[in-house]
Amino acid sequence: MADIQFLNVDLELESKHDISALVADLDKRAVVLHYDKDETRQLARIEAKSDAMSPDKAINELCEIIESCSKAGLKQWLSCSRRTFDLGFNSGHSPKCFNEAISADTLLRISAIGAGIEVTIYPVQES
């Protein structure tokens, strides 16, 4: 039987404008999982390098990385139409009740940088 578990937090970015300086800044201290651009938009998915054991810690680590970006990177951050922390979880059959808290301080930090939160739950992989 599979257990419910927190996997990771991905930072998802989307912009109609160039975000190459922002992605380059983030790439110095995080992992760029995906960066794609075409004539209408640019998309990026970023993950912290550490194996944070909770969404709260992972989000704070990513916030710290964002806050340390260059002036050009921060300007591009503000141009993004999507700045989302995507919390990933594996679903499962146990425990009966599972929760992960995000502190009020972390929520304020997310709000201060103009980001949002979403949750992705992956189905149980039956053998």
Side-chain angles (χ1 to χ4, degrees):
M1 244 195 230
D3 288 341
I4 301 167
Q5 63 181 345
F6 165 68
L7 296 173
N8 63 1
V9 175
D10 291 341
L11 172 62
E12 298 187 357
L13 303 172
E14 182 174 349
S15 181
K16 292 179 181 177
H17 309 285
D18 178 36
I19 59 170
S20 59
L22 173 60
V23 172
D25 283 352
L26 296 173
D27 193 35
K28 293 174 187 171
R29 295 183 51 203
V31 178
V32 177
L33 299 171
H34 177 80
Y35 178 45
D36 186 40
K37 50 188 170 181
D38 60 32
E39 56 280 343
T40 60
R41 67 182 179 164
Q42 296 194 14
L43 302 169
R45 180 174 294 121
I46 314 295
E47 186 176 83
K49 285 186 178 177
S50 76
D51 292 328
M53 299 305 291
S54 74
D56 197 74
K57 287 181 181 178
I59 291 168
N60 275 292
E61 184 174 335
L62 287 165
C63 283
E64 183 178 312
I65 294 167
I66 294 159
E67 293 161 353
S68 70
C69 285
S70 66
K71 197 177 231 184
L74 290 173
K75 185 176 180 181
Q76 290 180 356
W77 169 266
L78 293 173
S79 78
C80 290
S81 57
R82 179 175 180 177
R83 299 178 296 261
T84 304
F85 294 102
D86 182 4
L87 288 61
F89 293 88
N90 266 340
S91 63
H93 303 289
S94 62
K96 187 174 183 169
C97 181
F98 179 87
N99 60 48
E100 286 281 354
I102 298 174
S103 73
D105 287 343
T106 301
L107 293 172
L108 287 171
R109 195 172 190 184
I110 292 166
S111 177
I113 63 172
I117 297 175
E118 71 181 27
V119 176
T120 300
I121 301 173
Y122 298 96
V124 173
Q125 299 294 318
E126 300 294 338
S127 320

